[in-house]
Amino acid sequence: MSEEKKTFTFTIDGQTAEVEPGITILEASRLIGGKSVPPAMCYYKPLETSGGRCRTCLVEVSKGSEKDPRPMPKLVASCRTGVMDGMEVKNLSSEKAQEGRKAVTEFLLINHPLDCPICDQAGECHLQDLGYEHGYEQTRTEFERRTFEPEDIGPYIKLNMNRCILCARCVLAANQLTEKREHGILFRGEHAEISTGLNKALDNDFIGNVIDVCPVGALTDKTARFASRVWFTKPMNATCECTKCSGKAVVWMKGEEIIRVTARKDQYDEVQDWICNTCRFDRKDTKLWNFEGPRHIDRHSVISLNHYQKPQDEQRLLNNPDAKEISEKDEIGL
């Protein structure tokens, strides 16, 4: 007989589920699903060693484990903290965690310009969501923001370093998808910035994926810049015959015109299949694609609200059928 697989009991905001040992609080909460999943600006499951940089996923551990039920004295980064058997975590139900996330959001916005009206990422930006949920009405800093000139770091990619939050996702994606390293984080502390080596351009066949992993508008597609606001476009699942990648992508349409092409992402905005530059930048003719149907963008964004509105009182289906989603009253601690 095969040995029974050992599992840990994990609870977040009153929702309990059995999870495998060795996973983090963030991954365990994603298995439960629902609104209690902490946000993540730097963690990206497909990228090795990601996480631990932005601190937006801070949670309060109210019970360490069954063997040691003492709470952890400080907020912890859920993307870097492993689950223990019997661990109880508070996210939405913790005022301490919400205050910590609000402070982190303020820190991320210290140098970030509020140029959402002209940013191509507006409408699908995670920092925009955090700013709306936790941001202050005005900045409290008296220092000038860091400013950079927009830079072409390849034939297809524009870098707006002003918007960068140094999550390092693009660096990790380039390191793990390409054979040679041509860009990274230069300098340290408040002088740190993303840039390339002298006279280097990002031209690898898969380098366009750094645009998809960027959570803000720091890296944008030069072939689609200022072509349309994202909420005026219609995302469609489509496939093409490609010898470099799977050919599975999301084609963003405006009328009969293809505005841009991106990789397919899951509900946590993480890429499911990396696509090549040919599919992303060169195939803008509808005759080159086989359309499968509309793509539902499973997140609270204007994209979903415009095209696929759900009833307000409909309970969201959780990934774990044994877990129950907390109510809005539970979220605010009533």
Side-chain angles (χ1 to χ4, degrees):
M1 295 178 63
S2 60
E3 295 183 4
E4 186 177 350
K5 210 169 188 180
K6 185 179 179 181
T7 60
F8 284 170
T9 301
F10 171 76
T11 303
I12 182 168
D13 287 342
Q15 303 171 94
T16 303
E18 299 293 324
V19 299
E20 293 185 5
I23 67 173
T24 62
I25 293 175
L26 180 59
E27 284 301 321
S29 64
R30 286 183 175 184
L31 292 176
I32 293 176
K35 298 177 182 178
S36 291
V37 179
M41 296 289 290
C42 65
Y43 177 77
Y44 211 78
K45 187 176 181 179
L47 299 177
E48 297 177 5
T49 71
S50 67
R53 291 178 173 86
C54 71
R55 290 298 191 268
T56 58
C57 66
L58 290 174
V59 294
E60 178 184 354
V61 178
S62 56
K63 179 182 178 182
S65 65
E66 285 294 343
K67 294 183 179 180
D68 186 0
R70 293 176 299 175
M72 292 188 178
K74 296 181 180 180
L75 298 177
V76 299
S78 60
C79 68
R80 287 291 191 177
T81 306
V83 168
M84 300 298 290
D85 190 20
M87 177 179 280
E88 295 181 5
V89 174
K90 293 181 179 179
N91 179 27
L92 292 177
S93 58
S94 168
E95 183 178 346
K96 189 177 178 182
Q98 296 304 304
E99 285 298 317
R101 190 163 298 141
K102 187 174 183 179
V104 170
T105 302
E106 182 182 18
F107 179 76
L108 292 176
L109 290 172
I110 283 179
N111 286 307
H112 191 89
L114 299 181
D115 60 351
C116 303
I118 63 168
C119 179
D120 279 316
Q121 193 81 359
E124 51 183 358
C125 175
H126 296 269
L127 188 56
Q128 195 176 38
D129 295 339
L130 282 173
Y132 177 76
E133 295 169 1
H134 304 285
Y136 287 97
E137 293 182 1
Q138 59 187 20
T139 181
R140 296 189 296 174
T141 181
E142 298 177 356
F143 300 99
E144 292 185 6
R145 285 189 169 97
R146 297 196 313 165
T147 56
F148 301 84
E149 290 296 324
E151 179 184 0
D152 291 325
I153 57 174
Y156 301 113
I157 304 173
K158 175 76 76 173
L159 170 64
N160 286 74
M161 186 59 211
N162 289 343
R163 303 168 183 162
C164 180
I165 61 170
L166 293 173
C167 68
R169 283 183 181 179
C170 64
V171 177
L172 295 176
N175 287 351
Q176 295 170 33
L177 293 177
T178 65
E179 296 179 355
K180 53 184 178 180
R181 181 174 181 176
E182 295 175 333
H183 88 298
I185 301 178
L186 304 184
F187 313 119
R188 302 175 67 182
E190 65 174 347
H191 301 291
E193 63 177 276
I194 298 288
S195 188
T196 63
L198 291 175
N199 300 320
K200 292 290 185 180
L202 305 185
D203 57 1
N204 184 276
D205 281 342
F206 283 81
I207 199 63
N209 290 285
V210 299
I211 299 172
D212 280 340
V213 302
C214 182
V216 293
L219 296 169
T220 51
D221 180 352
K222 288 171 62 177
T223 68
R225 278 172 64 84
F226 310 128
S228 175
R229 307 305 286 179
V230 68
W231 52 85
F232 292 137
T233 62
K234 185 176 182 180
M236 303 287 290
N237 283 333
T239 59
C240 68
E241 296 182 3
C242 183
T243 58
K244 297 178 182 178
C245 66
S246 64
K248 298 179 180 179
V250 178
V251 174
W252 300 76
M253 306 286 296
K254 187 176 183 181
E256 299 298 321
E257 181 184 2
I258 296 178
I259 299 297
R260 65 169 180 158
V261 179
T262 64
R264 297 186 183 184
K265 300 180 181 181
D266 61 18
Q267 62 179 318
Y268 300 113
D269 214 31
E270 295 177 348
V271 172
Q272 296 171 316
D273 288 302
W274 308 107
I275 61 174
C276 65
N277 286 0
T278 302
C279 293
R280 183 184 300 274
F281 301 119
D282 298 333
R283 294 181 175 170
K284 297 294 182 70
D285 189 340
T286 55
K287 297 178 181 178
L288 300 175
W289 294 94
N290 298 313
F291 293 91
E292 299 175 347
R295 175 82 176 180
H296 176 67
I297 308 300
D298 189 13
R299 50 177 299 207
H300 58 293
S301 72
V302 291
I303 311 169
S304 297
L305 292 177
N306 268 7
H307 297 296
Y308 310 107
Q309 178 73 49
K310 290 184 176 180
Q312 295 296 324
D313 58 349
E314 180 179 334
Q315 186 177 17
R316 178 171 174 174
L317 179 65
L318 304 180
N319 294 333
N320 189 328
D322 297 327
K324 294 182 179 180
E325 188 173 17
I326 60 176
S327 65
E328 292 184 2
K329 291 184 178 180
D330 292 330
E331 291 179 23
I332 59 176
L334 295 179

